């Protein structure tokens, strides 16, 4: 009887509910029969069950890096992020290009929609990249490739009517060698030199894309009151530029802080305000029109940002 109890306890402890169902009763004979029945059946012993469970979890650990390769392999993660960013950027350019080609928006508005959206789309994917030293270079590949494309189209080597209409003022492909080329070079420089942990990169991209882009849209519609020192600029456009550049910069600071890339502080908020105001002042000067504001605005943002951050 004592042996039956021991066997029952052993089986209950190892096989749980299965043993309880088989040994329910109380006598040593029934316990012995139940033990023989369980041992003769094809119920796997506990060690085998544990082994299968460990093997299942091991397979899951092997499959996980294949499904989320970016978690384990930094280089693979950066390559995938680069390809994804490039695909989104190209799709966005084609989208605005087709709308411009079909005449959905006028040429000036189409150009500024590209101006505002493409650069901000580039940096919104920066948190996807790893912390490796190669990551900034790979992140800059889409912008650098766009700069090469501007050179090829601007020199007439590659013909693309949709891009010319969506990114030029007067439909001349040679215009892409100025503003659009400076634009792509700014994104490339912000990635390679400053990268995603620097508020300078955020300020330069946001003032170039959101600030300068919104300034033109608002200035054309509400810019009746012109600046006394530059009739080509308006108070409405300048105020819109400062506000858009500042708000977007703070927004991206908060966005990057979610990934632990930039620590949000009131000092940085003040710095973004100073950079946006400085970029707006430079953009409003006549010299900015002659040199191209796609060059003067980011240069001002880089220089002033280096002083305040």
């Amino acid at each position: 009887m004592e042996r039956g109890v021991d066997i029952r306890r052993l089986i209950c402890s190892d096989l749980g509910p299965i043993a309880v169902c088989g040994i329910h009763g109380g006598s040593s004979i029934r316990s012995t029969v139940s033990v023989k029945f369980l041992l003769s059946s094809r119920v796997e012993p506990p060690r085998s069950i544990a082994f299968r469970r460990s093997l299942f979890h091991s397979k899951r650990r092997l499959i996980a890096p294949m499904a989320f390769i970016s978690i384990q392999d930094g280089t693979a993660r950066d390559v995938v992020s680069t390809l994804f960013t490039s695909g989104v950027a190209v799709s966005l350019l084609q989208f605005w290009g087709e709308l411009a080609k079909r005449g959905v928006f006028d040429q000036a508005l189409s150009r500024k929609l590209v101006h505002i959206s493409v650069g901000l789309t580039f940096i919104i994917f920066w948190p996807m990249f790893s912390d490796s030293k190669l990551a900034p270079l790979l992140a800059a590949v889409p912008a650098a490739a766009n700069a090469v494309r501007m050179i090829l189209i601007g020199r007439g080597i590659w013909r693309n009517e949709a891009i010319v209409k969506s990114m030029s003022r007067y439909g001349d492909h040679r215009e892409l060698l100025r503003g659009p080329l400076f634009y792509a070079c700014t994104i490339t420089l912000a990635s390679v030199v400053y990268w995603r942990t620097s508020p300078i990169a955020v300020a330069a991209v946001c003032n170039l894309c959101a600030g300068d882009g919104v300034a033109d849209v608002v200035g054309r519609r509400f810019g009746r009151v012109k600046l006394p020192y530059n009739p080509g600029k308006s108070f409405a456009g300048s105020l819109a530029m400062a506000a858009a550049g500042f708000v977007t910069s703070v927004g991206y600071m908060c966005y990057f802080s979610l990934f632990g890339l930039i620590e949000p502080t009131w000092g940085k908020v003040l710095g973004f305000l100073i950079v946006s105001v400085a970029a707006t002042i430079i953009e409003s000067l006549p010299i900015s029109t002659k040199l191209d504001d796609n060059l003067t605005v980011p240069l001002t943002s880089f220089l002033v940002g280096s002083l305040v951050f």
Side-chain angles (χ1 to χ4, degrees):
M1 194 70 179
E2 188 66 28
R3 181 178 179 182
V5 173
D6 291 339
I7 295 176
R8 187 183 301 124
R9 288 178 181 174
L10 175 62
I11 296 176
C12 289
S13 62
D14 286 342
L15 297 181
I18 298 176
V20 172
C21 294
I23 305 175
H24 181 71
S27 66
S28 61
I29 298 176
R30 295 181 63 181
S31 299
T32 306
V33 171
S34 300
V35 171
K36 290 182 178 180
F37 172 76
L38 289 172
L39 293 177
S40 63
S41 65
R42 295 188 178 181
V43 178
E44 297 183 15
R47 183 175 297 178
S48 178
I49 296 175
F51 174 77
R52 285 196 171 190
R53 288 179 178 175
S54 64
L55 181 61
F56 172 74
H57 289 296
S58 298
K59 288 182 178 179
R60 289 186 62 183
R61 286 195 293 270
L62 290 174
I63 294 173
M66 296 175 64
F68 303 98
I69 193 170
S70 61
I71 296 176
Q72 297 289 341
D73 192 339
T75 302
R77 172 178 175 176
D78 296 334
V79 171
V80 171
S81 300
T82 299
L83 294 175
F84 181 78
T85 304
S86 300
V88 173
V90 170
S91 301
L92 193 60
L93 285 172
Q94 290 180 344
F95 173 74
W96 293 123
E98 286 300 319
L99 291 183
K101 191 175 180 180
R102 296 172 184 271
V104 177
F105 302 111
D106 62 79
Q107 191 165 348
L109 181 57
S110 296
R111 185 172 62 88
K112 286 304 173 182
L113 289 175
V114 172
H115 188 97
I116 295 170
S117 61
V118 173
L120 296 179
T121 301
F122 270 123
I123 67 173
I124 203 171
F125 295 121
W126 278 358
M128 292 176 58
F129 291 82
S130 70
D131 295 327
S132 68
K133 294 181 179 180
L134 191 62
L137 300 177
L138 289 174
V141 167
N146 193 39
V148 173
R149 180 165 55 175
M150 295 302 102
I151 295 174
L152 295 176
I153 297 176
R155 290 187 173 275
I157 301 174
W158 179 15
R159 294 184 178 275
N160 193 314
E161 182 183 352
I163 291 181
V164 172
K165 280 191 173 183
S166 64
M167 302 184 70
S168 63
R169 293 177 183 269
Y170 309 107
D172 187 351
H173 64 88
R174 290 172 295 185
E175 294 180 57
L176 273 61
L177 296 174
R178 292 179 58 81
L181 180 59
F182 298 150
Y183 183 98
C185 290
T186 297
I187 308 297
T188 304
L189 182 65
S191 175
V192 174
V193 177
Y194 295 97
W195 195 214
R196 60 190 181 182
T197 57
S198 173
I200 301 174
V202 173
V205 173
C206 290
N207 281 287
L208 171 63
C209 301
D212 185 46
V214 171
D216 187 80
V217 175
V218 173
R220 289 178 182 274
R221 187 167 183 178
F222 304 104
R224 297 181 180 87
V225 182
K226 304 298 182 181
L227 297 176
Y229 54 89
N230 188 358
K233 304 291 182 179
S234 65
F235 282 102
S238 295
L239 290 175
M241 177 177 177
F246 169 68
V247 172
T248 310
S249 297
V250 174
Y252 268 90
M253 177 189 69
C254 297
Y255 170 69
F256 286 143
S257 71
L258 298 176
F259 302 92
L261 301 174
I262 296 179
E263 181 182 358
T265 63
W266 288 110
K268 289 187 179 68
V269 172
L270 178 60
F272 285 131
L273 178 61
I274 294 173
V275 173
S276 296
V277 171
T280 300
I281 293 174
I282 296 299
E283 192 270 346
S284 68
L285 298 176
I287 190 175
S288 183
T289 304
K290 295 179 180 179
L291 292 177
D292 198 295
D293 49 16
N294 282 358
L295 177 62
T296 58
V297 169
L299 285 179
T300 303
S301 300
F302 285 133
L303 292 175
V304 178
S306 300
L307 297 175
V308 299
F309 293 117

